[in-house]
PDB file of all heavy atoms in Angstrom:
ATOM      1  N   VAL N   1      10.742  15.338   0.117  1.00  0.00           N
ATOM      2  CA  VAL N   1       9.613  14.519   0.579  1.00  0.00           C
ATOM      3  C   VAL N   1       8.614  15.398   1.352  1.00  0.00           C
ATOM      4  O   VAL N   1       7.370  15.347   1.121  1.00  0.00           O
ATOM      5  CB  VAL N   1      10.122  13.363   1.515  1.00  0.00           C
ATOM      6  CG1 VAL N   1       8.992  12.754   2.256  1.00  0.00           C
ATOM      7  CG2 VAL N   1      10.799  12.332   0.650  1.00  0.00           C
ATOM      8  N   ALA N   2       9.121  16.231   2.267  1.00  0.00           N
ATOM      9  CA  ALA N   2       8.247  17.116   3.016  1.00  0.00           C
ATOM     10  C   ALA N   2       7.515  18.102   2.148  1.00  0.00           C
ATOM     11  O   ALA N   2       6.297  18.360   2.338  1.00  0.00           O
ATOM     12  CB  ALA N   2       9.054  17.862   4.077  1.00  0.00           C
ATOM     13  N   ARG N   3       8.192  18.613   1.101  1.00  0.00           N
ATOM     14  CA  ARG N   3       7.545  19.578   0.198  1.00  0.00           C
ATOM     15  C   ARG N   3       6.433  18.915  -0.594  1.00  0.00           C
ATOM     16  O   ARG N   3       5.343  19.473  -0.786  1.00  0.00           O
ATOM     17  CB  ARG N   3       8.604  20.154  -0.756  1.00  0.00           C
ATOM     18  CG  ARG N   3       8.052  21.209  -1.706  1.00  0.00           C
ATOM     19  CD  ARG N   3       9.175  21.956  -2.415  1.00  0.00           C
ATOM     20  NE  ARG N   3      10.105  21.029  -3.068  1.00  0.00           N
ATOM     21  CZ  ARG N   3      11.320  20.763  -2.643  1.00  0.00           C
ATOM     22  NH1 ARG N   3      11.789  21.330  -1.524  1.00  0.00           N
ATOM     23  NH2 ARG N   3      12.127  19.899  -3.305  1.00  0.00           N
ATOM     24  N   LYS N   4       6.654  17.675  -1.073  1.00  0.00           N
ATOM     25  CA  LYS N   4       5.621  17.002  -1.860  1.00  0.00           C
ATOM     26  C   LYS N   4       4.443  16.611  -0.996  1.00  0.00           C
ATOM     27  O   LYS N   4       3.298  16.644  -1.482  1.00  0.00           O
ATOM     28  CB  LYS N   4       6.244  15.795  -2.550  1.00  0.00           C
ATOM     29  CG  LYS N   4       7.186  16.181  -3.698  1.00  0.00           C
ATOM     30  CD  LYS N   4       7.704  14.972  -4.417  1.00  0.00           C
ATOM     31  CE  LYS N   4       8.576  15.444  -5.626  1.00  0.00           C
ATOM     32  NZ  LYS N   4       9.163  14.346  -6.372  1.00  0.00           N
ATOM     33  N   ILE N   5       4.694  16.247   0.237  1.00  0.00           N
ATOM     34  CA  ILE N   5       3.581  15.953   1.168  1.00  0.00           C
ATOM     35  C   ILE N   5       2.770  17.242   1.422  1.00  0.00           C
ATOM     36  O   ILE N   5       1.521  17.212   1.437  1.00  0.00           O
ATOM     37  CB  ILE N   5       4.101  15.343   2.470  1.00  0.00           C
ATOM     38  CG1 ILE N   5       4.657  13.950   2.198  1.00  0.00           C
ATOM     39  CG2 ILE N   5       2.986  15.303   3.491  1.00  0.00           C
ATOM     40  CD1 ILE N   5       5.234  13.317   3.416  1.00  0.00           C
ATOM     41  N   GLU N   6       3.474  18.345   1.626  1.00  0.00           N
ATOM     42  CA  GLU N   6       2.787  19.644   1.809  1.00  0.00           C
ATOM     43  C   GLU N   6       2.018  20.027   0.573  1.00  0.00           C
ATOM     44  O   GLU N   6       0.858  20.511   0.666  1.00  0.00           O
ATOM     45  CB  GLU N   6       3.820  20.676   2.218  1.00  0.00           C
ATOM     46  CG  GLU N   6       3.232  22.075   2.375  1.00  0.00           C
ATOM     47  CD  GLU N   6       2.283  22.192   3.543  1.00  0.00           C
ATOM     48  OE1 GLU N   6       2.365  21.349   4.447  1.00  0.00           O
ATOM     49  OE2 GLU N   6       1.416  23.072   3.529  1.00  0.00           O
ATOM     50  N   ASP N   7       2.621  19.827  -0.625  1.00  0.00           N
ATOM     51  CA  ASP N   7       1.920  20.184  -1.874  1.00  0.00           C
ATOM     52  C   ASP N   7       0.659  19.362  -2.018  1.00  0.00           C
ATOM     53  O   ASP N   7      -0.349  19.820  -2.584  1.00  0.00           O
ATOM     54  CB  ASP N   7       2.845  19.967  -3.062  1.00  0.00           C
ATOM     55  CG  ASP N   7       3.970  20.977  -3.119  1.00  0.00           C
ATOM     56  OD1 ASP N   7       3.829  22.022  -2.420  1.00  0.00           O
ATOM     57  OD2 ASP N   7       4.951  20.750  -3.830  1.00  0.00           O
ATOM     58  N   ALA N   8       0.716  18.089  -1.567  1.00  0.00           N
ATOM     59  CA  ALA N   8      -0.463  17.234  -1.711  1.00  0.00           C
ATOM     60  C   ALA N   8      -1.643  17.735  -0.901  1.00  0.00           C
ATOM     61  O   ALA N   8      -2.811  17.425  -1.243  1.00  0.00           O
ATOM     62  CB  ALA N   8      -0.113  15.802  -1.263  1.00  0.00           C
ATOM     63  N   SER N   9      -1.356  18.477   0.153  1.00  0.00           N
ATOM     64  CA  SER N   9      -2.461  19.009   0.995  1.00  0.00           C
ATOM     65  C   SER N   9      -2.949  20.358   0.498  1.00  0.00           C
ATOM     66  O   SER N   9      -3.899  20.905   1.065  1.00  0.00           O
ATOM     67  CB  SER N   9      -1.993  19.111   2.462  1.00  0.00           C
ATOM     68  OG  SER N   9      -0.974  20.063   2.574  1.00  0.00           O
ATOM     69  N   SER N  10      -2.290  20.913  -0.531  1.00  0.00           N
ATOM     70  CA  SER N  10      -2.697  22.203  -1.051  1.00  0.00           C
ATOM     71  C   SER N  10      -3.695  21.982  -2.189  1.00  0.00           C
ATOM     72  O   SER N  10      -3.400  22.171  -3.359  1.00  0.00           O
ATOM     73  CB  SER N  10      -1.468  22.993  -1.569  1.00  0.00           C
ATOM     74  OG  SER N  10      -0.559  23.215  -0.534  1.00  0.00           O
ATOM     75  N   ASP N  11      -4.894  21.574  -1.813  1.00  0.00           N
ATOM     76  CA  ASP N  11      -5.969  21.311  -2.790  1.00  0.00           C
ATOM     77  C   ASP N  11      -7.198  22.014  -2.336  1.00  0.00           C
ATOM     78  O   ASP N  11      -7.211  22.828  -1.414  1.00  0.00           O
ATOM     79  CB  ASP N  11      -6.179  19.800  -3.001  1.00  0.00           C
ATOM     80  CG  ASP N  11      -6.331  19.075  -1.682  1.00  0.00           C
ATOM     81  OD1 ASP N  11      -6.835  19.702  -0.741  1.00  0.00           O
ATOM     82  OD2 ASP N  11      -5.918  17.903  -1.579  1.00  0.00           O
ATOM     83  N   ASN N  12      -8.318  21.659  -2.949  1.00  0.00           N
ATOM     84  CA  ASN N  12      -9.585  22.290  -2.599  1.00  0.00           C
ATOM     85  C   ASN N  12     -10.238  21.692  -1.365  1.00  0.00           C
ATOM     86  O   ASN N  12     -11.286  22.182  -0.925  1.00  0.00           O
ATOM     87  CB  ASN N  12     -10.553  22.172  -3.786  1.00  0.00           C
ATOM     88  CG  ASN N  12     -10.094  22.960  -4.979  1.00  0.00           C
ATOM     89  OD1 ASN N  12      -9.458  24.018  -4.838  1.00  0.00           O
ATOM     90  ND2 ASN N  12     -10.333  22.437  -6.197  1.00  0.00           N
ATOM     91  N   LEU N  13      -9.646  20.646  -0.830  1.00  0.00           N
ATOM     92  CA  LEU N  13     -10.199  20.036   0.381  1.00  0.00           C
ATOM     93  C   LEU N  13      -9.633  20.755   1.599  1.00  0.00           C
ATOM     94  O   LEU N  13      -8.530  20.539   2.037  1.00  0.00           O
ATOM     95  CB  LEU N  13      -9.803  18.548   0.431  1.00  0.00           C
ATOM     96  CG  LEU N  13     -10.399  17.730   1.572  1.00  0.00           C
ATOM     97  CD1 LEU N  13     -11.917  17.713   1.510  1.00  0.00           C
ATOM     98  CD2 LEU N  13      -9.862  16.308   1.535  1.00  0.00           C
ATOM     99  N   GLU N  14     -10.434  21.692   2.099  1.00  0.00           N
ATOM    100  CA  GLU N  14      -9.991  22.539   3.174  1.00  0.00           C
ATOM    101  C   GLU N  14     -10.322  21.909   4.532  1.00  0.00           C
ATOM    102  O   GLU N  14     -11.382  21.372   4.724  1.00  0.00           O
ATOM    103  CB  GLU N  14     -10.671  23.917   3.080  1.00  0.00           C
ATOM    104  CG  GLU N  14     -10.193  24.745   1.891  1.00  0.00           C
ATOM    105  CD  GLU N  14      -8.757  25.176   2.036  1.00  0.00           C
ATOM    106  OE1 GLU N  14      -8.266  25.286   3.171  1.00  0.00           O
ATOM    107  OE2 GLU N  14      -8.095  25.375   1.012  1.00  0.00           O
ATOM    108  N   ASP N  15      -9.322  21.972   5.403  1.00  0.00           N
ATOM    109  CA  ASP N  15      -9.594  21.557   6.788  1.00  0.00           C
ATOM    110  C   ASP N  15     -10.453  22.623   7.467  1.00  0.00           C
ATOM    111  O   ASP N  15     -10.473  23.824   7.075  1.00  0.00           O
ATOM    112  CB  ASP N  15      -8.279  21.401   7.562  1.00  0.00           C
ATOM    113  CG  ASP N  15      -7.440  20.241   6.989  1.00  0.00           C
ATOM    114  OD1 ASP N  15      -8.049  19.267   6.599  1.00  0.00           O
ATOM    115  OD2 ASP N  15      -6.224  20.400   6.938  1.00  0.00           O
ATOM    116  N   SER N  16     -11.132  22.207   8.506  1.00  0.00           N
ATOM    117  CA  SER N  16     -11.977  23.156   9.235  1.00  0.00           C
ATOM    118  C   SER N  16     -11.132  24.141  10.040  1.00  0.00           C
ATOM    119  O   SER N  16      -9.923  23.954  10.231  1.00  0.00           O
ATOM    120  CB  SER N  16     -12.902  22.358  10.160  1.00  0.00           C
ATOM    121  OG  SER N  16     -12.155  21.771  11.198  1.00  0.00           O
ATOM    122  N   TRP N  17     -11.820  25.200  10.522  1.00  0.00           N
ATOM    123  CA  TRP N  17     -11.112  26.171  11.379  1.00  0.00           C
ATOM    124  C   TRP N  17     -10.530  25.476  12.591  1.00  0.00           C
ATOM    125  O   TRP N  17      -9.403  25.768  12.996  1.00  0.00           O
ATOM    126  CB  TRP N  17     -12.104  27.235  11.830  1.00  0.00           C
ATOM    127  CG  TRP N  17     -11.468  28.265  12.723  1.00  0.00           C
ATOM    128  CD1 TRP N  17     -10.910  29.447  12.369  1.00  0.00           C
ATOM    129  CD2 TRP N  17     -11.334  28.189  14.168  1.00  0.00           C
ATOM    130  NE1 TRP N  17     -10.412  30.097  13.471  1.00  0.00           N
ATOM    131  CE2 TRP N  17     -10.663  29.367  14.600  1.00  0.00           C
ATOM    132  CE3 TRP N  17     -11.726  27.230  15.130  1.00  0.00           C
ATOM    133  CZ2 TRP N  17     -10.393  29.608  15.945  1.00  0.00           C
ATOM    134  CZ3 TRP N  17     -11.424  27.471  16.467  1.00  0.00           C
ATOM    135  CH2 TRP N  17     -10.781  28.655  16.854  1.00  0.00           C
ATOM    136  N   TRP N  18     -11.263  24.506  13.130  1.00  0.00           N
ATOM    137  CA  TRP N  18     -10.768  23.765  14.309  1.00  0.00           C
ATOM    138  C   TRP N  18      -9.505  22.976  13.953  1.00  0.00           C
ATOM    139  O   TRP N  18      -8.541  22.969  14.748  1.00  0.00           O
ATOM    140  CB  TRP N  18     -11.854  22.812  14.777  1.00  0.00           C
ATOM    141  CG  TRP N  18     -11.504  22.010  15.977  1.00  0.00           C
ATOM    142  CD1 TRP N  18     -10.958  20.743  15.981  1.00  0.00           C
ATOM    143  CD2 TRP N  18     -11.646  22.413  17.339  1.00  0.00           C
ATOM    144  NE1 TRP N  18     -10.753  20.330  17.296  1.00  0.00           N
ATOM    145  CE2 TRP N  18     -11.187  21.324  18.146  1.00  0.00           C
ATOM    146  CE3 TRP N  18     -12.115  23.560  17.978  1.00  0.00           C
ATOM    147  CZ2 TRP N  18     -11.168  21.359  19.532  1.00  0.00           C
ATOM    148  CZ3 TRP N  18     -12.118  23.592  19.378  1.00  0.00           C
ATOM    149  CH2 TRP N  18     -11.660  22.515  20.117  1.00  0.00           C
ATOM    150  N   ASP N  19      -9.480  22.342  12.790  1.00  0.00           N
ATOM    151  CA  ASP N  19      -8.300  21.586  12.396  1.00  0.00           C
ATOM    152  C   ASP N  19      -7.087  22.483  12.173  1.00  0.00           C
ATOM    153  O   ASP N  19      -5.981  22.193  12.567  1.00  0.00           O
ATOM    154  CB  ASP N  19      -8.578  20.762  11.124  1.00  0.00           C
ATOM    155  CG  ASP N  19      -9.517  19.603  11.354  1.00  0.00           C
ATOM    156  OD1 ASP N  19      -9.513  19.080  12.497  1.00  0.00           O
ATOM    157  OD2 ASP N  19     -10.263  19.243  10.435  1.00  0.00           O
ATOM    158  N   ARG N  20      -7.338  23.605  11.452  1.00  0.00           N
ATOM    159  CA  ARG N  20      -6.237  24.494  11.108  1.00  0.00           C
ATOM    160  C   ARG N  20      -5.674  25.226  12.289  1.00  0.00           C
ATOM    161  O   ARG N  20      -4.480  25.527  12.302  1.00  0.00           O
ATOM    162  CB  ARG N  20      -6.731  25.533  10.069  1.00  0.00           C
ATOM    163  CG  ARG N  20      -7.036  24.986   8.694  1.00  0.00           C
ATOM    164  CD  ARG N  20      -7.183  26.079   7.682  1.00  0.00           C
ATOM    165  NE  ARG N  20      -8.115  27.112   8.115  1.00  0.00           N
ATOM    166  CZ  ARG N  20      -9.425  27.110   7.890  1.00  0.00           C
ATOM    167  NH1 ARG N  20      -9.952  26.094   7.231  1.00  0.00           N
ATOM    168  NH2 ARG N  20     -10.189  28.094   8.292  1.00  0.00           N
ATOM    169  N   ASN N  21      -6.483  25.502  13.289  1.00  0.00           N
ATOM    170  CA  ASN N  21      -6.027  26.341  14.392  1.00  0.00           C
ATOM    171  C   ASN N  21      -5.825  25.544  15.697  1.00  0.00           C
ATOM    172  O   ASN N  21      -4.726  25.541  16.254  1.00  0.00           O
ATOM    173  CB  ASN N  21      -7.028  27.476  14.630  1.00  0.00           C
ATOM    174  CG  ASN N  21      -7.071  28.443  13.475  1.00  0.00           C
ATOM    175  OD1 ASN N  21      -6.268  29.335  13.360  1.00  0.00           O
ATOM    176  ND2 ASN N  21      -8.056  28.254  12.561  1.00  0.00           N
ATOM    177  N   VAL N  22      -6.859  24.870  16.141  1.00  0.00           N
ATOM    178  CA  VAL N  22      -6.793  24.204  17.450  1.00  0.00           C
ATOM    179  C   VAL N  22      -5.969  22.918  17.342  1.00  0.00           C
ATOM    180  O   VAL N  22      -4.947  22.757  18.024  1.00  0.00           O
ATOM    181  CB  VAL N  22      -8.176  23.911  17.997  1.00  0.00           C
ATOM    182  CG1 VAL N  22      -8.071  23.178  19.336  1.00  0.00           C
ATOM    183  CG2 VAL N  22      -8.949  25.195  18.139  1.00  0.00           C
ATOM    184  N   ARG N  23      -6.400  22.023  16.450  1.00  0.00           N
ATOM    185  CA  ARG N  23      -5.675  20.708  16.369  1.00  0.00           C
ATOM    186  C   ARG N  23      -4.257  20.891  15.867  1.00  0.00           C
ATOM    187  O   ARG N  23      -3.331  20.219  16.307  1.00  0.00           O
ATOM    188  CB  ARG N  23      -6.458  19.767  15.474  1.00  0.00           C
ATOM    189  CG  ARG N  23      -7.822  19.375  15.998  1.00  0.00           C
ATOM    190  CD  ARG N  23      -8.408  18.229  15.228  1.00  0.00           C
ATOM    191  NE  ARG N  23      -7.587  17.032  15.391  1.00  0.00           N
ATOM    192  CZ  ARG N  23      -7.395  16.138  14.438  1.00  0.00           C
ATOM    193  NH1 ARG N  23      -7.956  16.296  13.240  1.00  0.00           N
ATOM    194  NH2 ARG N  23      -6.645  15.084  14.654  1.00  0.00           N
ATOM    195  N   SER N  24      -4.056  21.820  14.948  1.00  0.00           N
ATOM    196  CA  SER N  24      -2.716  22.071  14.456  1.00  0.00           C
ATOM    197  C   SER N  24      -1.832  22.654  15.568  1.00  0.00           C
ATOM    198  O   SER N  24      -0.672  22.230  15.694  1.00  0.00           O
ATOM    199  CB  SER N  24      -2.764  23.065  13.290  1.00  0.00           C
ATOM    200  OG  SER N  24      -1.457  23.345  12.796  1.00  0.00           O
ATOM    201  N   PHE N  25      -2.386  23.511  16.394  1.00  0.00           N
ATOM    202  CA  PHE N  25      -1.618  24.061  17.514  1.00  0.00           C
ATOM    203  C   PHE N  25      -1.209  22.981  18.491  1.00  0.00           C
ATOM    204  O   PHE N  25      -0.062  22.918  18.953  1.00  0.00           O
ATOM    205  CB  PHE N  25      -2.445  25.138  18.241  1.00  0.00           C
ATOM    206  CG  PHE N  25      -1.764  25.692  19.451  1.00  0.00           C
ATOM    207  CD1 PHE N  25      -0.863  26.736  19.378  1.00  0.00           C
ATOM    208  CD2 PHE N  25      -2.055  25.155  20.696  1.00  0.00           C
ATOM    209  CE1 PHE N  25      -0.204  27.233  20.482  1.00  0.00           C
ATOM    210  CE2 PHE N  25      -1.419  25.644  21.850  1.00  0.00           C
ATOM    211  CZ  PHE N  25      -0.510  26.701  21.719  1.00  0.00           C
ATOM    212  N   ILE N  26      -2.157  22.111  18.818  1.00  0.00           N
ATOM    213  CA  ILE N  26      -1.884  21.011  19.747  1.00  0.00           C
ATOM    214  C   ILE N  26      -0.803  20.106  19.171  1.00  0.00           C
ATOM    215  O   ILE N  26       0.158  19.706  19.879  1.00  0.00           O
ATOM    216  CB  ILE N  26      -3.152  20.192  20.019  1.00  0.00           C
ATOM    217  CG1 ILE N  26      -4.162  21.070  20.803  1.00  0.00           C
ATOM    218  CG2 ILE N  26      -2.857  18.957  20.826  1.00  0.00           C
ATOM    219  CD1 ILE N  26      -5.512  20.423  21.019  1.00  0.00           C
ATOM    220  N   HIS N  27      -0.871  19.807  17.885  1.00  0.00           N
ATOM    221  CA  HIS N  27       0.086  18.918  17.249  1.00  0.00           C
ATOM    222  C   HIS N  27       1.515  19.528  17.252  1.00  0.00           C
ATOM    223  O   HIS N  27       2.484  18.867  17.563  1.00  0.00           O
ATOM    224  CB  HIS N  27      -0.347  18.600  15.826  1.00  0.00           C
ATOM    225  CG  HIS N  27       0.575  17.647  15.101  1.00  0.00           C
ATOM    226  ND1 HIS N  27       0.699  16.333  15.420  1.00  0.00           N
ATOM    227  CD2 HIS N  27       1.439  17.885  14.073  1.00  0.00           C
ATOM    228  CE1 HIS N  27       1.592  15.763  14.597  1.00  0.00           C
ATOM    229  NE2 HIS N  27       2.045  16.684  13.800  1.00  0.00           N
ATOM    230  N   GLU N  28       1.558  20.826  16.911  1.00  0.00           N
ATOM    231  CA  GLU N  28       2.850  21.477  16.822  1.00  0.00           C
ATOM    232  C   GLU N  28       3.497  21.668  18.209  1.00  0.00           C
ATOM    233  O   GLU N  28       4.724  21.780  18.280  1.00  0.00           O
ATOM    234  CB  GLU N  28       2.685  22.819  16.120  1.00  0.00           C
ATOM    235  CG  GLU N  28       2.346  22.719  14.632  1.00  0.00           C
ATOM    236  CD  GLU N  28       1.993  24.060  14.023  1.00  0.00           C
ATOM    237  OE1 GLU N  28       2.090  25.070  14.762  1.00  0.00           O
ATOM    238  OE2 GLU N  28       1.600  24.109  12.847  1.00  0.00           O
ATOM    239  N   HIS N  29       2.717  21.765  19.228  1.00  0.00           N
ATOM    240  CA  HIS N  29       3.228  22.026  20.571  1.00  0.00           C
ATOM    241  C   HIS N  29       2.987  20.853  21.506  1.00  0.00           C
ATOM    242  O   HIS N  29       2.941  21.001  22.723  1.00  0.00           O
ATOM    243  CB  HIS N  29       2.560  23.293  21.155  1.00  0.00           C
ATOM    244  CG  HIS N  29       2.833  24.526  20.382  1.00  0.00           C
ATOM    245  ND1 HIS N  29       2.036  24.892  19.295  1.00  0.00           N
ATOM    246  CD2 HIS N  29       3.763  25.488  20.495  1.00  0.00           C
ATOM    247  CE1 HIS N  29       2.479  26.023  18.813  1.00  0.00           C
ATOM    248  NE2 HIS N  29       3.528  26.408  19.484  1.00  0.00           N
ATOM    249  N   ALA N  30       2.908  19.644  20.915  1.00  0.00           N
ATOM    250  CA  ALA N  30       2.599  18.449  21.706  1.00  0.00           C
ATOM    251  C   ALA N  30       3.606  18.201  22.809  1.00  0.00           C
ATOM    252  O   ALA N  30       3.257  17.940  23.951  1.00  0.00           O
ATOM    253  CB  ALA N  30       2.462  17.239  20.824  1.00  0.00           C
ATOM    254  N   ASP N  31       4.896  18.275  22.471  1.00  0.00           N
ATOM    255  CA  ASP N  31       5.918  18.039  23.492  1.00  0.00           C
ATOM    256  C   ASP N  31       5.876  19.041  24.614  1.00  0.00           C
ATOM    257  O   ASP N  31       6.019  18.666  25.820  1.00  0.00           O
ATOM    258  CB  ASP N  31       7.312  18.074  22.855  1.00  0.00           C
ATOM    259  CG  ASP N  31       7.612  16.801  22.091  1.00  0.00           C
ATOM    260  OD1 ASP N  31       6.891  15.804  22.277  1.00  0.00           O
ATOM    261  OD2 ASP N  31       8.581  16.783  21.268  1.00  0.00           O
ATOM    262  N   PHE N  32       5.643  20.293  24.298  1.00  0.00           N
ATOM    263  CA  PHE N  32       5.538  21.311  25.338  1.00  0.00           C
ATOM    264  C   PHE N  32       4.310  21.098  26.214  1.00  0.00           C
ATOM    265  O   PHE N  32       4.390  21.238  27.439  1.00  0.00           O
ATOM    266  CB  PHE N  32       5.474  22.708  24.702  1.00  0.00           C
ATOM    267  CG  PHE N  32       5.394  23.840  25.713  1.00  0.00           C
ATOM    268  CD1 PHE N  32       6.452  24.122  26.544  1.00  0.00           C
ATOM    269  CD2 PHE N  32       4.233  24.615  25.811  1.00  0.00           C
ATOM    270  CE1 PHE N  32       6.361  25.146  27.501  1.00  0.00           C
ATOM    271  CE2 PHE N  32       4.163  25.642  26.742  1.00  0.00           C
ATOM    272  CZ  PHE N  32       5.227  25.920  27.579  1.00  0.00           C
TER     273      PHE N  32
END
């Protein structure tokens, strides 16, 4: 399930630098 969800995001629709770096960092380290 996780792999197919990840594959679905591997398309030409690119997230912005802010999404890939800042927002992703906040999401991954939310508990910390």
Side-chain angles (χ1 to χ4, degrees):
V1 165
R3 183 169 53 254
K4 288 184 176 178
I5 291 176
E6 177 64 24
D7 290 343
S9 65
S10 299
D11 50 32
N12 294 326
L13 185 60
E14 291 293 334
D15 294 323
S16 67
W17 180 91
W18 181 266
D19 289 330
R20 291 193 307 272
N21 294 276
V22 179
R23 295 192 63 214
S24 179
F25 176 85
I26 293 174
H27 181 70
E28 292 172 3
H29 300 85
D31 283 345
F32 180 67

